[in-house]
Amino acid sequence: MDSRGSLTKKDTTISVITASEGVVSPPYSRTATLVGTPGSPLSKQPPPVVHRHYWRVSSAFICFFAIGWGDGATGVVMPDMQIYFHLSYVMGSMLFMTGSVGFALMTFVAEPVAKLLGRFNIASERPSFIPAIFTSKKTAHSLSKGRCISLFLFGLLHCAYFLFSASSPQYYGILIAFFIGGLGKSIQIAQINVFWTSNPRVPGISLLHGTYGIGAFVSPLICQTMKARGFPWRGFFWVSLGLALFNVLFGLYAFKTTQEEFEIEKSLALASEALSQTVARNQTDVEVGGIDSASASKPKL
């Protein structure tokens, strides 16, 4: 370390890891970021297109459309629920409250859940869908894996919302269904928003949320048409369940971690760990050197 406090070649050597063509490595660590210096190959090349990029953009649109679809028809089916279950206006409005409570609660744990689901064994050579939670081996966090598993698991909760609403014989079961739907929608929206805003090749996020509005606009028209043609109000939820299942399966394919992404994230994890160890070792050397200097400067009796 020189007199200005910067690291010299003798202290450490940091190698810049570049992404292979067709892959953009996502941000990995908040404490250490590897960047290309001006004039380096990393700074000259434009960001390449990520593998499955267009499938992921399409999946994001479908996801927001499906969520808007489910939210838009609540007001249309509520009068039928009030008649079927003999509900007061207060009990009927509980549908909106339970969904909002579930949505709000999950926003506090969206990031920790994604980090937990995105853990992988750093010694593995291929991406795995199962998160490395209960293991004694060294693990790291994969942003793409956490996103994929979060969208899949909480997309299933969104499916359960339609399933229970269509089949529950009791009104309290439908309230639980709306609560579960709020949990699922919260994580899905959070993950898609992060994907969209961190991707430099997608258009403005207003288009994404506009797709939600399209779903919320179309579903009441479809629901009212089905009721006018004699279909029971539960039939709309069965149709919506099919849309939600398609959204989950398509999202699983689109956002599944590729081999290239896994290799990039693994390299970033190893580089971040090596950098942290080097900084800690240099800090220890500085502290030991300071103690030795102080001992040498003490006057001998």
Side-chain angles (χ1 to χ4, degrees):
M1 180 172 290
D2 58 17
S3 58
R4 293 173 296 178
S6 60
L7 296 177
T8 62
K9 272 187 178 179
K10 294 181 180 179
D11 295 321
T12 181
T13 301
I14 301 175
S15 59
V16 177
I17 301 172
T18 59
S20 59
E21 187 174 358
V23 178
V24 175
S25 58
Y28 174 76
S29 174
R30 295 183 178 179
T31 57
T33 304
L34 302 179
V35 297
T37 57
S40 67
L42 194 63
S43 61
K44 290 180 181 179
Q45 297 176 356
V49 178
V50 182
H51 184 53
R52 294 183 183 172
H53 168 76
Y54 297 109
W55 292 114
R56 292 176 179 181
V57 172
S58 301
S59 177
F61 279 126
I62 294 173
C63 181
F64 267 64
F65 179 85
I67 293 174
W69 173 282
D71 289 347
T74 304
V76 180
V77 299
M78 183 180 293
D80 297 270
M81 288 186 181
Q82 288 178 313
I83 296 173
Y84 187 86
F85 294 109
H86 307 288
L87 303 176
S88 64
Y89 289 109
V90 175
M91 288 299 297
S93 64
M94 293 289 288
L95 290 175
F96 296 100
M97 190 193 73
T98 53
S100 300
V101 170
F103 189 96
L105 289 177
M106 193 53 66
T107 57
F108 294 101
V109 296
E111 185 177 1
V113 166
K115 287 185 175 180
L116 181 66
L117 297 177
R119 293 178 63 181
F120 69 97
N121 183 5
I122 205 168
S124 60
E125 298 297 331
R126 292 185 176 275
S128 173
F129 183 76
I130 306 299
I133 300 177
F134 305 104
T135 178
S136 57
K137 299 179 180 179
K138 186 177 294 186
T139 60
H141 170 66
S142 169
L143 187 67
S144 59
K145 180 178 180 178
R147 178 186 298 125
C148 177
I149 300 179
S150 296
L151 290 175
F152 176 73
L153 293 181
F154 289 92
L156 290 179
L157 288 185
H158 196 224
C159 295
Y161 153 61
F162 291 120
L163 177 62
F164 294 158
S165 298
S167 60
S168 175
Q170 299 293 331
Y171 180 66
Y172 294 106
I174 295 181
L175 288 180
I176 295 174
F178 272 72
F179 177 79
I180 293 174
L183 299 178
K185 289 182 293 185
S186 181
I187 296 294
Q188 286 182 292
I189 291 175
Q191 288 295 334
I192 295 297
N193 278 336
V194 171
F195 161 74
W196 201 271
T197 54
S198 61
N199 195 326
R201 291 188 175 272
V202 295
I205 198 172
S206 58
L207 294 177
L208 180 64
H209 288 267
T211 309
Y212 173 94
I214 294 174
F217 175 77
V218 171
S219 64
L221 302 179
I222 301 297
C223 183
Q224 189 63 41
T225 302
M226 293 177 63
K227 289 170 56 180
R229 292 182 178 273
F231 289 93
W233 60 271
R234 293 183 186 271
F236 174 79
F237 289 106
W238 287 116
V239 174
S240 303
L241 176 60
L243 175 62
L245 283 173
F246 174 76
N247 170 49
V248 170
L249 296 177
F250 186 68
L252 179 63
Y253 166 76
F255 286 98
K256 183 180 179 181
T257 303
T258 62
Q259 181 66 28
E260 294 84 0
E261 286 177 314
F262 175 76
E263 291 174 357
I264 292 299
E265 291 178 323
K266 180 179 177 180
S267 299
L268 288 173
L270 293 173
S272 179
E273 182 183 5
L275 182 61
S276 300
Q277 291 176 355
T278 303
V279 172
R281 185 167 56 251
N282 289 330
Q283 185 177 1
T284 302
D285 293 342
V286 171
E287 292 175 354
V288 171
I291 294 174
D292 293 341
S293 301
S295 300
S297 61
K298 262 187 189 178
K300 294 183 179 181
L301 298 177

